[in-house]
Amino acid sequence: MPTYIAGKDAPLEESIALFRSRAQELDLKIIEHPFLHPLPDIYSINIESSVSPFVYSNGKGTSKLAALASAYGELFERLYTHMFFSDYYLGPKIGKEPFVHYEDEKWTDLNLPKKDLFKEILNASLKKFYLTDNELSLEVLIDKQGAVNGRGICSLPFTEAFSKKTVFFPVNLIDNLYASNGMSAGNTKEEAAVQALSEIIERYTKSTIIKSAYALPEVPKDYIAKFPKLLHTLDLLNAGSFKAVCYDASLGGKFPVVCVVLFNEKNGTCFAAFGSHPLFEVALDRTLSELLQGRNLNDCDDFAEPSLEPEIYADPTNLESHFIDSTGILPLEMFKAKSDFAFSPVNFAGTTSLQYEFLKELIKKEGFKIYERFYTAANLPVCRIIIPGMSEVYPIDDLAYNNCAAGFSLINEILELNAKAPCEDEIAALLCKIEDADFSDEAPVFESLGIIADDIPALKNLRFGQLKCLLYLALKDYDNALFYAKWTLNFNAAIFDEADLNFYRCLEKMLECIDDPLLFKDLHRCFTLLYGEETVQKVLSHIEGNDHFYGLPKNVLTLDSFKAHEKLIKIYEKIKE
């Protein structure tokens, strides 16, 4: 007997079979990990590719089938929107192909006259929205692969939902600001769009409630009683030290959103889950599943106490935590006895197509514009929706100050760093680029470049502070080299092996006395006794400029050097075909 659930246009068995078949065609070798099942009607699951563990997803639902379909849906939405690959360097080969991302992409040369640039990118109102600072360089929109290959800005066409006009959004803008928000896979185009719009509404409403510290009305128990299975789950949550309260998060009937807060009287903490869908039953179902996704009840002791301080709960970093896993801090005012809204549940019981139109009208009524992009691959409808001003996950300032493409302009220089005799001008220029990119000293170098270096510990553990030490040493700028040698020892002491630890300890001591040649010479035997002759000779060779960049490979690094990264790119090439 096929299993149908509310909000889905096909039985779960059919959806899962299609997903599994496509995963097999792509040779993803999916591992379906055991289900977590903390309550009778709450299931969650993690699935991942054994080819590349960086391709993974999580699913949730009120049954095993629902959770599995959810996990596969998330997997394919992230594959076909290329989100799985958005943080990674795709390599020079792909970067030079006729299309890097999709056949309908458009490349804009930054050498065009400025007045002509925005004939191809965004539109007048979107330019004003995203590039609020007129002096903001257009380089913040350069595609990550374009940063290496000099192709400029890559944009993808989106359609405005009502006017049907096409607008090109830069790929790097999307990657920087929207993460997974507004992406969905479905059995039909409309089902995918309803899910994507519901997700945007849920997160926008959650953020609005937390930032504004709105007190929400409770959902009466007799209203929840219309859905016995969900009421039973709530009753089970109200056991022992936990108390679960269901709130109407519709903001007075504006949006179809439900909130459930789990209070823990053992330690005075709480956390909230939100869910959205035109059908109240589906919204509450999703909220309860979200509450315990990837968790058992005994994992719910580590959340935060609510706060009365807006600078804490309304802080962008806290709001990002709520987006990622609901672990952020909540405002205490949310739980005032007198709510800021009347109980106004939204429950629209129409076809999926009508639900799609219903959600679009709600969003339009609030003054937002909806930009949609649909993908159809192997009968798997996927969409990505952007609603400027509503669906951003990260602040627009991140384009300038936390741009995820910042490291891509450094790739060639760093990959080739130790393969040739260093030129002082090139090293000084690289140091300037690193400073201009504003990486923290703690940032992992290769992760920031978009390269997976997990099979090469010396590269995986390399931080910008350590790299600066080696660069300054190559320039014979001993004061700065000493500063970063101390930093490196302080930061990496716990993860360095004995040889690396000895190298930097010896380097620190030698640099401390390098300004006193007599003392430096006089302490040579002592250094040898402390660190060994081999280590002392290595350090001396670096100080004298005969050797450079300790620990980095001597050959030019290519993506072939990074096996885990190469496997991920092979999956990308299959998806791109």
Side-chain angles (χ1 to χ4, degrees):
M1 177 75 74
T3 307
Y4 288 88
I5 62 173
K8 297 295 180 185
D9 289 337
L12 295 173
E13 293 88 349
E14 184 179 309
S15 302
I16 293 167
L18 181 60
F19 286 135
R20 281 174 168 164
S21 172
R22 183 57 179 147
Q24 191 170 5
E25 289 170 16
L26 293 169
D27 196 30
L28 295 177
K29 295 183 172 60
I30 296 296
I31 301 168
E32 297 173 0
H33 293 288
F35 290 88
L36 268 178
H37 180 37
L39 292 176
D41 296 315
I42 298 289
Y43 292 83
S44 62
I45 187 173
N46 167 265
I47 63 175
E48 66 173 282
S49 168
S50 61
V51 176
S52 174
F54 298 92
V55 174
Y56 69 94
S57 63
N58 302 298
K60 61 185 184 295
T62 55
S63 69
K64 286 185 177 181
L65 288 176
L68 193 56
S70 167
Y72 272 109
E74 181 177 279
L75 184 85
F76 279 96
E77 76 184 33
R78 296 180 179 204
L79 282 171
Y80 286 129
T81 60
H82 295 180
M83 186 196 165
F84 278 131
F85 316 98
S86 63
D87 288 333
Y88 300 109
Y89 174 45
L90 298 176
K93 175 178 172 288
I94 291 175
K96 292 175 183 174
E97 288 177 355
F99 69 94
V100 173
H101 305 284
Y102 302 95
E103 289 186 80
D104 59 353
E105 70 192 24
K106 178 186 288 184
W107 288 88
T108 301
D109 187 345
L110 279 176
N111 293 319
L112 282 172
K114 198 164 184 178
K115 62 183 177 63
D116 296 329
L117 278 171
F118 283 96
K119 291 179 181 177
E120 297 189 344
I121 303 170
L122 304 172
N123 59 30
S125 63
L126 289 173
K127 176 188 173 186
K128 186 176 180 181
F129 177 74
Y130 290 114
L131 304 178
T132 51
D133 180 352
N134 290 328
E135 299 304 314
L136 189 63
S137 171
L138 292 173
E139 291 179 359
V140 301
L141 300 180
I142 291 177
D143 182 67
K144 292 171 185 173
Q145 314 312 318
V148 179
N149 295 299
R151 293 179 71 166
I153 299 170
C154 183
S155 304
L156 301 177
F158 283 69
T159 302
E160 205 283 310
F162 291 99
S163 71
K164 304 303 178 185
K165 289 181 179 178
T166 299
V167 176
F168 280 81
F169 280 77
V171 171
N172 194 40
L173 181 150
I174 298 168
D175 290 346
N176 270 286
L177 303 183
Y178 294 98
S180 64
N181 201 19
M183 299 185 334
S184 183
N187 296 292
T188 63
K189 170 184 171 181
E190 291 77 14
E191 182 191 308
V194 167
Q195 171 59 21
L197 289 172
S198 295
E199 184 179 79
I200 290 170
I201 287 170
E202 170 203 317
R203 289 164 174 170
Y204 171 75
T205 304
K206 177 200 286 190
S207 180
T208 300
I209 289 166
I210 293 169
K211 282 192 295 187
S212 305
Y214 286 137
L216 304 177
E218 287 190 36
V219 179
K221 195 164 184 177
D222 60 354
Y223 192 89
I224 302 172
K226 298 175 184 178
F227 318 106
K229 194 159 84 168
L230 300 176
L231 178 61
H232 180 58
T233 298
L234 272 169
D235 287 340
L236 290 174
L237 284 168
N238 278 289
S241 64
F242 293 110
K243 294 293 177 287
V245 181
C246 182
Y247 295 97
D248 168 15
S250 68
L251 299 178
K254 283 185 180 180
F255 295 117
V257 185
V258 177
C259 170
V260 173
V261 179
L262 194 63
F263 297 90
N264 188 346
E265 63 184 34
K266 280 197 304 186
N267 57 17
T269 64
C270 61
F271 74 105
F274 288 73
S276 176
H277 191 272
L279 290 168
F280 184 93
E281 176 186 6
V282 176
L284 180 54
D285 178 320
R286 290 179 176 174
T287 307
L288 291 170
S289 299
E290 176 74 20
L291 196 71
L292 292 176
Q293 182 174 4
R295 301 182 181 106
N296 286 306
L297 282 171
N298 56 9
D299 297 323
C300 298
D301 285 334
D302 298 325
F303 294 98
E305 296 179 65
S307 171
L308 281 166
E309 300 178 52
E311 61 271 22
I312 293 177
Y313 59 71
D315 182 82
T317 304
N318 185 57
L319 296 174
E320 287 170 26
S321 296
H322 281 286
F323 171 82
I324 294 166
D325 57 10
S326 300
T327 59
I329 295 166
L330 294 169
L332 195 61
E333 298 98 318
M334 264 184 73
F335 313 117
K336 291 185 298 188
K338 184 178 180 182
S339 62
D340 291 311
F341 306 95
F343 175 58
S344 311
V346 179
N347 189 35
F348 182 85
T351 64
T352 307
S353 294
L354 289 175
Q355 289 174 352
Y356 173 38
E357 297 301 325
F358 170 71
L359 292 178
K360 287 195 296 182
E361 288 294 339
L362 289 182
I363 292 166
K364 182 182 179 183
K365 188 177 178 182
E366 294 301 310
F368 297 107
K369 289 196 173 182
I370 302 167
Y371 296 89
E372 304 170 317
R373 178 173 171 82
F374 290 93
Y375 312 77
T376 303
N379 298 317
L380 291 173
V382 172
C383 73
R384 182 163 208 163
I385 296 176
I386 293 172
I387 307 178
M390 187 178 190
S391 64
E392 290 79 26
V393 174
Y394 302 107
I396 292 173
D397 283 353
D398 274 11
L399 283 172
Y401 304 114
N402 195 25
N403 196 301
C404 61
F408 281 67
S409 63
L410 308 173
I411 285 176
N412 289 335
E413 290 97 322
I414 291 178
L415 290 180
E416 298 174 3
L417 196 59
N418 211 17
K420 58 182 180 180
C423 164
E424 286 192 7
D425 289 345
E426 289 175 355
I427 294 172
L430 177 55
L431 274 165
C432 285
K433 277 189 178 183
I434 291 171
E435 294 297 343
D436 289 344
D438 202 27
F439 291 115
S440 70
D441 290 336
E442 295 82 2
V445 171
F446 283 88
E447 183 180 312
S448 301
L449 299 182
I451 295 174
I452 302 167
D454 58 325
D455 292 333
I456 311 169
L459 300 183
K460 180 183 179 183
N461 296 330
L462 183 68
R463 309 288 166 149
F464 275 102
Q466 182 184 350
L467 180 59
K468 286 179 184 178
C469 173
L470 298 174
L471 291 169
Y472 281 120
L473 194 58
L475 289 176
K476 297 189 177 180
D477 181 342
Y478 298 132
D479 287 342
N480 277 312
L482 174 59
F483 175 86
Y484 281 106
K486 290 178 182 290
W487 181 92
T488 299
L489 279 169
N490 183 57
F491 188 83
N492 280 341
I495 58 173
F496 273 163
D497 62 20
E498 186 178 300
D500 291 345
L501 204 55
N502 258 2
F503 177 89
Y504 282 97
R505 282 172 174 164
C506 183
L507 177 64
E508 177 188 21
K509 291 293 183 289
M510 283 189 167
L511 290 177
E512 283 177 339
C513 62
I514 199 166
D515 289 336
D516 187 338
L518 291 176
L519 179 62
F520 186 84
K521 184 178 180 181
D522 200 36
L523 287 174
H524 182 94
R525 184 170 181 273
C526 176
F527 292 146
T528 302
L529 291 170
L530 284 169
Y531 308 111
E533 183 63 32
E534 183 180 349
T535 299
V536 169
Q537 289 307 316
K538 280 182 183 177
V539 172
L540 273 175
S541 185
H542 278 75
I543 288 175
E544 293 168 355
N546 300 317
D547 208 353
H548 306 90
F549 311 121
Y550 170 79
L552 296 185
K554 297 289 185 184
N555 57 305
V556 173
L557 290 169
T558 64
L559 291 190
D560 295 346
S561 313
F562 303 93
K563 299 306 178 187
H565 191 91
E566 192 177 27
K567 288 176 182 177
L568 183 72
I569 299 307
K570 284 181 178 176
I571 293 175
Y572 182 81
E573 288 173 329
K574 288 179 182 178
I575 292 292
K576 188 168 169 273
E577 287 173 358

